[in-house]
C-alpha cells in the first residue's frame, strides 16, 4: 500500500500542473486565467492523513476556487481518473475498512459501495464534455438578432458530509459529481465509521490533487466548525435531526443545500404469482447492510389475508436461503454500526412484541435474536404490527420488517399518503392499474415496481428525497447540475440597434408598432 504523501500524484500532475506542456491540447480556460500551478501545494502530515483543521481546509479550498484551479476540463477529468484509480488499487483496503466498521461482507461492499462509485466515475468521464458544453436556448423573433445559451458553471467551494451506513459510497459519489462540476471540495467522513474515515483521509491526498480536495475528520465539534464557514453548497446525507441543524446553519449564510435524509419507505404487496421471488427481492432490499439502508423497505403493507399468509411463509425461507439457519455465523450478513444503535433497535422490537397502552402485541414470525457484544441482530419479521406502535413512528434503520395487513389497495395508498413523504416507495403487483394509481397518488423521492433497492444504482436516474425525506438530487447528470450554476447568457449585436423601438419616448407610432409586434 502506498505511504501517505502530501504531494500531488504524478498521474494527476502530468495532466494538470503544466498546461504549457500540453501544446495544442491546452485548455483555453487555463490560457485565459493563468496556469493552475499558481496554487501552492499543501504539505504536512495533517494534509497527508486527512486530519486538517476545519478552518485551514476551508481557506485552502476557497483560495483554489477563487483561482479557478478546478475549472478546466482536463483537471476535472484527471481528478475523476484519480478516483477511478483509487477504486481499482485500493478496493481491498476499502472492503477491509467497511468490514471493520459495519461487518460488511466483501462482496456486499463491492456491490453496494465500490462498484456504484465506479459507475458514477465512468458515467461522468463518458459525458463530461457533453455536460460542460453550453446549451443553446431559443430566442423569440422580437429579440433577434441575438443568441442565448445556458452554461453549467462551477459553484466554487462545496462541503460534503457523509453518513455512517454507507460511509464510502455516500461520500465518494457526491465527490464525483462535485469534481465533475469543477468545484473544490471539503469532505467530512463519518466519525461513526472510524476505519473508513481514516482510510479516506489517507487515500484522498494520494489519488487526488490535495489543492482541490481536503478531508476533515472528527465529530460534532468539527461539523459545527465547518458549518460556521462559508461554502457555495452543502451536501448532507444522514438523519432528519442533524439535517435540520445543517439546513438552519446554511440558511444563516444563504448557502444552498442538498439534504439526503430518509423516512419510512413503504412496500405494498398487492398480489403475486411468484411468491418466492417477491420474498427474495424484499428480503434483499431489507437485510442488505443489516437493514441500515435509507431506501430499504421499512414496512410491508400486505393487501388481503392471502398475501399476508404468503409473505409469512416465504420471507423466512428467503432469509434462510440467504444467510442459513444461523445468520450470526453467515459470512454474508453484516452487523449494526455500534451497540447504541443495536440497543435502540432492539428496544423498538421489544416494545412491539410487548404491546400495552391498548395496543395488541405484534407477532414474531422469524428471527428476533440479538447479541450486543457482536453487534448482531437477526433478520426479523413481525406480523400484525399495530400502526400506532413505536416501531411505526420512526424509521427503523435495522433488520426488522413489520407486516401490516390491509384489506384493499385503496387502504394501502391511504395509509402511505397520510404519513410524511418517504425516500422510496415500492409496489409488488401484476395489476397495471395499481401501477398507475400508485404513481399518481403516492409522493416519494423515488419508486420501484416488483423490486427493491435497485433504483438507486442507476446513474441515469436522479436520486433524492421530497419534503421531510430530503431536497435536491444527484447521480449522473443530476449530480453534475446540483453542483453547478446553470447560468443563462444572452448576446445581442450592437451593429444594428433593433431596440430603438422600445426606447422612450413612447410616441404614438411606437405604441402602435409595439402592439403589432408583442
Amino acid at each position: 500500500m502506498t505511504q501517505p504523501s502530501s504531494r500531488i500524484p504524478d498521474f494527476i500532475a502530468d495532466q494538470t500542473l503544466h498546461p504549457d506542456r500540453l501544446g495544442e491540447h491546452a485548455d483555453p480556460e487555463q490560457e485565459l486565467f493563468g496556469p493552475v500551478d499558481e496554487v501552492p501545494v499543501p504539505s504536512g502530515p495533517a494534509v497527508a492523513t486527512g486530519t486538517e483543521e476545519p478552518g485551514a481546509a476551508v481557506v485552502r479550498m476557497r483560495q483554489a476556487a477563487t483561482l479557478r484551479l478546478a475549472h478546466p476540463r482536463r483537471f476535472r477529468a484527471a481528478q475523476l481518473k484519480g478516483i477511478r484509480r483509487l477504486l481499482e488499487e485500493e478496493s481491498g483496503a476499502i472492503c477491509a475498512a467497511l468490514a471493520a466498521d459495519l461487518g460488511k461482507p466483501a462482496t456486499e461492499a463491492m456491490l453496494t459501495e465500490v462498484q456504484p462509485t465506479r459507475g458514477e466515475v465512468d458515467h461522468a468521464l463518458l459525458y463530461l464534455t457533453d455536460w460542460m458544453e453550453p446549451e443553446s436556448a431559443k430566442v423569440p423573433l422580437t429579440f433577434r438578432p441575438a443568441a442565448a445559451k445556458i452554461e453549467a458553471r462551477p459553484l466554487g467551494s462545496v462541503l460534503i458530509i457523509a453518513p455512517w451506513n454507507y460511509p464510502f459510497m455516500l461520500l465518494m459519489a457526491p465527490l464525483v459529481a462535485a469534481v465533475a462540476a469543477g468545484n473544490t471540495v471539503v469532505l467530512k467522513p463519518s466519525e461513526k465509521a472510524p476505519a473508513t474515515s481514516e482510510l479516506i483521509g489517507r487515500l484522498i491526498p494520494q489519488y487526488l490533487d490535495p489543492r482541490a480536495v481536503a478531508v476533515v475528520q472528527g465529530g460534532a465539534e468539527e461539523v459545527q466548525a465547518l458549518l460556521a464557514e462559508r461554502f457555495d453548497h452543502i451536501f448532507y446525507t444522514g438523519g432528519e435531526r442533524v439535517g435540520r441543524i445543517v439546513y438552519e446553519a446554511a440558511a444563516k449564510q444563504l448557502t444552498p443545500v442538498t439534504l439526503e435524509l430518509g423516512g419510512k419507505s413503504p412496500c405494498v404487496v398487492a398480489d403475486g404469482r411468484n411468491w418466492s421471488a417477491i420474498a427474495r427481492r424484499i428480503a434483499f432490499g431489507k437485510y442488505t447492510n443489516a437493514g441500515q439502508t435509507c431506501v430499504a423497505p421499512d414496512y410491508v403493507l400486505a393487501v388481503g389475508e392471502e398475501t399476508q399468509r404468503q409473505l409469512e411463509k416465504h420471507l423466512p425461507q428467503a432469509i434462510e436461503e440467504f444467510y442459513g439457519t444461523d445468520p450470526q455465523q453467515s459470512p454474508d450478513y453484516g452487523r449494526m454500526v455500534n451497540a447504541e444503535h443495536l440497543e435502540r433497535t432492539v428496544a423498538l422490537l421489544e416494545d412491539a412484541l410487548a404491546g400495552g397502552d391498548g395496543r395488541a402485541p405484534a407477532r414474531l414470525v422469524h428471527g428476533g435474536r440479538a447479541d450486543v457484544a457482536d453487534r448482531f441482530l437477526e433478520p426479523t419479521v413481525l406480523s400484525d404490527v399495530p400502526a400506532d406502535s413505536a416501531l411505526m413512528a420512526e424509521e427503523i434503520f435495522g433488520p426488522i420488517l413489520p407486516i401490516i395487513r390491509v384489506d384493499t389497495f385503496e387502504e394501502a395508498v391511504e395509509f402511505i399518503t397520510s404519513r410524511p413523504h418517504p425516500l422510496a416507495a415500492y409496489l409488488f403487483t401484476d395489476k397495471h392499474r395499481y401501477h398507475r394509481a400508485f404513481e399518481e397518488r403516492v409522493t416519494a423521492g423515488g419508486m420501484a415496481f416488483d423490486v427493491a433497492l435497485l433504483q438507486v444504482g442507476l446513474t441515469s436516474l436522479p436520486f433524492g428525497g421530497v419534503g421531510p425525506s430530503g431536497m435536491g438530487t444527484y447521480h449522473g447528470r443530476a449530480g453534475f447540475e446540483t453542483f453547478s450554476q446553470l447560468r443563462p447568457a444572452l448576446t445581442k449585436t450592437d451593429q444594428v440597434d433593433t431596440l430603438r423601438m422600445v426606447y422612450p419616448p413612447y410616441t404614438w407610432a411606437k405604441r402602435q408598432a409595439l402592439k403589432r409586434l408583442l
Side-chain angles (χ1 to χ4, degrees):
M1 184 178 295
T2 310
Q3 292 301 311
S5 169
S6 59
R7 68 182 183 86
I8 298 171
D10 291 338
F11 61 90
I12 289 182
D14 289 345
Q15 300 181 67
T16 63
L17 275 180
H18 304 289
D20 55 305
R21 296 180 186 173
L22 301 177
E24 60 182 21
H25 301 292
D27 194 303
E29 191 160 335
Q30 287 181 336
E31 295 175 2
L32 284 172
F33 300 108
V36 296
D37 54 3
E38 290 179 0
V39 182
V41 180
S43 61
V47 174
T49 58
T51 55
E52 203 170 359
E53 289 297 319
V58 173
V59 168
R60 286 201 305 105
M61 294 303 105
R62 291 217 67 85
Q63 179 191 24
T66 301
L67 294 173
R68 298 177 173 85
L69 170 69
H71 284 212
R73 186 196 63 80
R74 291 185 66 92
F75 189 93
R76 305 184 197 193
Q79 292 283 80
L80 291 171
K81 290 173 183 176
I83 298 174
R84 184 167 64 186
R85 189 166 174 175
L86 183 157
L87 297 171
E88 291 171 348
E89 296 181 358
E90 303 291 347
S91 61
I94 295 165
C95 291
L98 293 169
D101 289 329
L102 290 150
K104 285 196 181 185
T107 301
E108 182 180 302
M110 291 296 295
L111 284 173
T112 63
E113 303 244 21
V114 177
Q115 289 304 323
T117 307
R118 173 64 186 265
E120 290 288 335
V121 173
D122 291 344
H123 189 78
L125 282 169
L126 181 62
Y127 291 103
L128 180 60
T129 300
D130 291 341
W131 294 345
M132 293 179 65
E133 189 72 19
E135 178 184 348
S136 296
K138 291 183 178 180
V139 178
L141 181 63
T142 51
F143 282 72
R144 297 175 186 172
K149 66 179 181 179
I150 302 168
E151 187 174 13
R153 301 295 300 168
L155 292 175
S157 181
V158 303
L159 170 64
I160 298 173
I161 304 174
W164 51 260
N165 59 324
Y166 289 86
F168 183 81
M169 186 268 290
L170 292 180
L171 186 76
M172 299 299 289
L175 173 64
V176 170
V179 164
N183 300 285
T184 61
V185 187
V186 176
L187 297 173
K188 172 59 184 70
S190 174
E191 74 281 5
K192 292 186 178 180
T196 306
S197 178
E198 185 276 333
L199 181 69
I200 288 171
R202 186 160 46 81
L203 293 182
I204 289 294
Q206 293 179 36
Y207 287 90
L208 279 78
D209 193 325
R211 300 171 303 167
V213 182
V215 181
V216 173
Q217 299 188 67
E221 183 178 343
E222 284 72 20
V223 171
Q224 291 289 351
L226 286 170
L227 292 177
E229 300 284 349
R230 183 171 67 88
F231 288 95
D232 297 297
H233 194 92
I234 297 175
F235 189 106
Y236 168 80
T237 305
E240 182 180 341
R241 182 185 65 81
V242 178
R244 291 178 183 274
I245 296 172
V246 172
Y247 198 18
E248 182 179 352
K252 293 178 181 177
Q253 304 199 52
L254 297 180
T255 301
V257 298
T258 299
L259 301 177
E260 301 294 351
L261 305 177
K264 295 185 73 64
S265 297
C267 177
V268 177
V269 183
D271 51 68
R273 286 175 290 185
N274 191 342
W275 289 106
S276 296
I278 292 173
R280 284 193 294 268
R281 292 184 179 190
I282 294 174
F284 176 75
K286 179 63 177 181
Y287 302 115
T288 294
N289 199 30
Q292 299 163 118
T293 304
C294 57
V295 292
D298 191 88
Y299 60 94
V300 171
L301 294 174
V303 180
E305 184 178 352
E306 175 61 16
T307 297
Q308 180 183 20
R309 188 183 68 81
Q310 292 290 350
L311 290 174
E312 290 181 9
K313 173 184 176 182
H314 288 93
L315 279 169
Q317 293 176 1
I319 293 170
E320 186 171 334
E321 180 182 338
F322 290 172
Y323 309 115
T325 55
D326 184 1
Q328 190 169 9
Q329 304 303 320
S330 171
D332 300 316
Y333 184 67
R335 294 296 184 268
M336 306 295 277
V337 66
N338 54 39
E340 178 184 3
H341 184 54
L342 173 60
E343 290 168 355
R344 167 200 163 274
T345 312
V346 169
L348 290 174
L349 173 61
E350 292 175 344
D351 176 78
L353 291 173
D357 296 327
R359 289 184 288 107
R363 178 163 48 85
L364 182 64
V365 176
H366 183 83
R369 186 167 56 89
D371 183 343
V372 176
D374 191 28
R375 295 181 293 154
F376 168 79
L377 178 57
E378 188 175 8
T380 299
V381 179
L382 301 178
S383 199
D384 300 329
V385 178
D388 59 349
S389 66
L391 196 66
M392 295 300 298
E394 59 183 278
E395 186 177 7
I396 298 170
F397 223 63
I400 302 173
L401 183 63
I403 298 175
I404 299 175
R405 193 180 83 192
V406 292
D407 293 328
T408 64
F409 176 75
E410 176 71 20
E411 186 180 343
V413 171
E414 290 178 355
F415 188 98
I416 297 169
T417 56
S418 66
R419 286 161 172 75
H421 302 322
L423 188 55
Y426 303 107
L427 172 64
F428 288 80
T429 183
D430 292 329
K431 295 183 173 63
H432 291 294
R433 69 178 186 276
Y434 286 175
H435 276 233
R436 294 193 298 271
F438 201 76
E439 290 177 322
E440 182 66 26
R441 297 179 57 189
V442 174
T443 300
M447 289 185 176
F449 296 94
D450 300 314
V451 74
L453 210 62
L454 262 61
Q455 77 278 8
V456 300
L458 274 67
T459 55
S460 55
L461 289 179
F463 172 75
V466 56
S469 60
M471 61 181 70
T473 59
Y474 71 118
H475 286 185
R477 179 157 195 156
F480 176 84
E481 293 185 351
T482 286
F483 287 104
S484 299
Q485 178 210 359
L486 300 182
R487 185 180 68 187
L490 176 70
T491 302
K492 186 170 177 62
T493 179
D494 60 0
Q495 299 304 303
V496 178
D497 194 357
T498 58
L499 293 177
R500 294 182 64 182
M501 185 64 68
V502 299
Y503 297 152
Y506 298 116
T507 63
W508 180 88
K510 285 185 178 180
R511 292 197 300 271
Q512 295 305 309
L514 287 172
K515 283 181 181 180
R516 290 193 296 269
L517 288 172
L518 300 178

